[in-house]
Amino acid sequence: MTSVHDPALDDSAVVASPYQRAVAEYWNAERNPVNLRLGEVDGIYHHHYGIGDVDWSVLQSPPEVREERVVEELHRLESAQADFLLDHLGTVGPEDRVLDAGCGRGGSSLVAAARFGCRVDGISISQAQVDFANEQAKRRGVDGSVRFHLRNMLDTGFPTGAFQAIWNNESTMYVELGSLFAEHSRLLRRGGRYVTITGCYNDAYGLPSRAVSQINAHYICDIHPRSTYFKEMAANRLVPVSVVDLTATTVPYWRLRARSSLATGIENAFLDAYTGGSFQYLLIAADRI
Ligand code: SAM
């Protein structure tokens, strides 16, 4: 097998398996317009999906501005998703420290720092993302309080009890949940808050549908069943305080994206999975007891 690993990115101390190597390489190489063009709207780069009602009038815009309007609308919806996640983080003060686990290009971390005025650490298994995110923090003049690190979220090396809050925004499907929640439980102080927004397959439907399997293959991920989240949280002192089914509110985002020039080809799999009932988009917030 040929590896495209760039020796200039020495991540061997962080990448712990051939699978994680594949994930790191995917994100190191990723230059997807649906992520980059949306981030260019205001310099907040998200790699997650959107929620909320779509302003469909953007599709009727004059041809010369139509694409720009669609990009702005998709970005508005992905920003609403990040805001909704942060709404569930509980009370976070300027003295607190929070962790963005699987931080992508760092958008949610920058939004959290602006909202809470606290110290934020973002971690990714991709050195390219970490470098990009640190550059964004520098440009915004917040690199003293928002720092991005090449670290594995299963074994972060951060001190025990260091964090008031931790979130995973669409990054739990890259790891085994028992190991992830054990590490989060170690890092959170007692009474701290954990939040995830994630796609999960619906146990009530059965095993993963064809559409869910297509999504797994597309992103090199392993979507977990809904039941595993609650089982592994309970096993790791994380007690759910809110569970919100966002499935219906993310479908409009996918419908708009499917009609945009930024469609990547995976849109119909998401729409089939969500509307067919095999896949759910959930927010789960839990207290560390
Ligand atoms: N949370 C970000 C957001 O909302 O924009 C990015 C989500 S992106 C879909 C998934 C992220 O998980 C990538 O940044 C990837 O590098 C990260 N990731 C995957 N496995 C990881 C691991 N074992 N440790 C740290 N980060 C990991």
Side-chain angles (χ1 to χ4, degrees):
M1 194 179 81
T2 320
S3 172
V4 293
H5 177 52
D6 177 353
L9 304 175
D10 186 13
D11 55 10
S12 48
V14 171
V15 174
S17 66
Y19 169 73
Q20 290 178 2
R21 161 67 46 226
V23 173
E25 284 177 357
Y26 175 93
W27 290 107
N28 280 330
E30 189 271 339
R31 306 277 184 277
N32 208 324
V34 82
N35 292 322
L36 292 172
R37 291 279 313 280
L38 271 57
E40 284 161 12
V41 171
D42 61 1
I44 297 289
Y45 290 80
H46 294 302
H47 293 357
H48 59 242
Y49 312 126
I51 56 170
D53 292 336
V54 164
D55 175 2
W56 292 105
S57 72
V58 295
L59 293 176
Q60 266 74 57
S61 307
E64 63 278 14
V65 292
R66 183 181 184 271
E67 177 157 316
E68 194 185 330
R69 297 270 153 79
V70 170
V71 164
E72 285 168 359
E73 182 64 359
L74 288 170
H75 184 57
R76 186 181 69 76
L77 300 171
E78 64 174 10
S79 299
Q81 190 265 29
D83 287 337
F84 190 73
L85 186 155
L86 297 176
D87 289 344
H88 290 80
L89 223 51
T91 307
V92 178
E95 303 308 317
D96 288 325
R97 197 171 164 189
V98 301
L99 177 66
D100 181 355
C103 62
R105 285 188 168 91
S108 302
S109 291
L110 293 171
V111 177
R115 185 191 288 207
F116 301 117
C118 63
R119 174 160 171 199
V120 184
D121 291 284
I123 58 174
S124 169
I125 203 167
S126 156
Q127 181 72 63
Q129 288 188 329
V130 168
D131 293 345
F132 186 99
N134 276 325
E135 181 58 31
Q136 299 307 309
K138 208 168 171 183
R139 279 192 195 177
R140 290 181 170 254
V142 295
D143 48 323
S145 57
V146 185
R147 294 186 193 140
F148 297 96
H149 319 262
L150 178 68
R151 296 202 189 196
N152 192 323
M153 60 182 151
L154 300 181
D155 180 16
T156 62
F158 289 121
T160 297
F163 294 95
Q164 171 59 28
I166 299 177
W167 72 87
N168 283 106
N169 199 348
E170 292 183 12
S171 53
T172 49
M173 59 289 289
Y174 293 97
V175 289
E176 196 269 308
L177 291 181
S179 307
L180 179 71
F181 294 157
E183 177 66 349
H184 285 351
S185 192
R186 183 186 74 76
L187 294 173
L188 280 170
R189 65 168 79 127
R190 206 181 161 102
R193 175 64 57 82
Y194 172 65
V195 183
T196 183
I197 293 186
T198 187
C200 57
Y201 76 81
N202 182 3
D203 307 78
Y205 174 96
L207 288 175
S209 63
R210 181 179 182 153
V212 167
S213 300
Q214 284 170 340
I215 296 167
N216 277 335
H218 187 86
Y219 289 108
I220 328 175
C221 66
D222 187 10
I223 291 164
H224 303 293
R226 174 162 42 110
S227 56
T228 304
Y229 282 89
F230 299 98
K231 189 175 96 185
E232 296 298 349
M233 282 184 184
N236 288 287
R237 306 189 68 84
L238 296 169
V239 176
V241 61
S242 314
V243 180
V244 186
D245 185 349
L246 297 167
T247 310
T249 59
T250 194
V251 166
Y253 162 89
W254 285 100
R255 292 210 163 111
L256 179 63
R257 183 167 147 168
R259 294 181 64 181
S260 81
S261 64
L262 302 178
T264 61
I266 197 63
E267 287 74 16
N268 284 339
F270 273 88
L271 285 165
D272 287 353
Y274 283 139
T275 59
S278 65
F279 192 42
Q280 294 173 299
Y281 196 50
L282 291 193
L283 174 140
I284 308 170
D287 286 328
R288 161 71 165 88
I289 58 159

